[in-house]
Amino acid sequence: MRKKQLDFFSKQSPYGYGKTEYGGAQNGKDRRSGKRKVQRPFDRNKPLFLTLKASCAKGKLSMRNRDVAIKTLVDDVASRTGTKLHNYSNNGNHLHLVATFRSRLAFQK
């Protein structure tokens, strides 16, 4: 008799993988078809890579024209939320951030 394969996303996982599941299809009609039904894993010890894009940041509204002000604003928000900012890059119409958050709630704010 074959042994049963172990569950990769154990309910006892310290990161909570598989812990929160969302509803599935009702009568075969699901507006979230193809979308994630399980909460995305979050590890507060690993940095996250974020991209923040502004579609109207072109020409005079480019974020490169206000680089110092935007960097000051990002640092201020990071210090208020207890976020550790590892890396920051202003690319004109979008920002790249590498940051570590204290909790999922701090990440969502």
Side-chain angles (χ1 to χ4, degrees):
M1 177 163 261
R2 292 177 63 178
K3 291 184 180 180
K4 183 180 174 190
Q5 183 175 355
L6 297 176
D7 187 15
F8 184 72
F9 294 112
S10 170
K11 301 290 183 195
Q12 292 81 25
S13 173
Y15 303 115
Y17 298 154
K19 186 176 180 182
T20 305
E21 296 182 10
Y22 303 104
Q26 297 292 330
N27 299 329
K29 298 177 184 176
D30 187 8
R31 63 182 176 84
R32 297 189 54 211
S33 179
K35 303 278 197 272
R36 182 184 302 270
K37 307 293 190 296
V38 178
Q39 192 173 25
R40 183 181 298 276
F42 178 81
D43 186 358
R44 65 185 215 136
N45 297 321
K46 292 183 181 178
L48 292 174
F49 179 79
L50 305 171
T51 303
L52 307 175
K53 187 171 192 287
S55 59
C56 64
K58 296 175 186 169
K60 290 183 180 180
L61 296 177
S62 174
M63 289 190 281
R64 285 193 182 173
N65 298 337
R66 297 166 182 83
D67 189 35
V68 175
I70 292 173
K71 175 68 170 144
T72 304
L73 183 65
V74 168
D75 288 337
D76 182 46
V77 171
S79 65
R80 275 191 285 137
T81 59
T83 300
K84 182 177 180 187
L85 192 62
H86 299 283
N87 200 350
Y88 162 89
S89 173
N90 184 346
N91 297 69
N93 71 339
H94 64 283
L95 301 174
H96 291 286
L97 305 171
V98 179
T100 305
F101 300 91
R102 288 185 301 177
S103 65
R104 181 181 293 275
L105 186 61
F107 167 63
Q108 291 172 342
K109 288 184 176 184

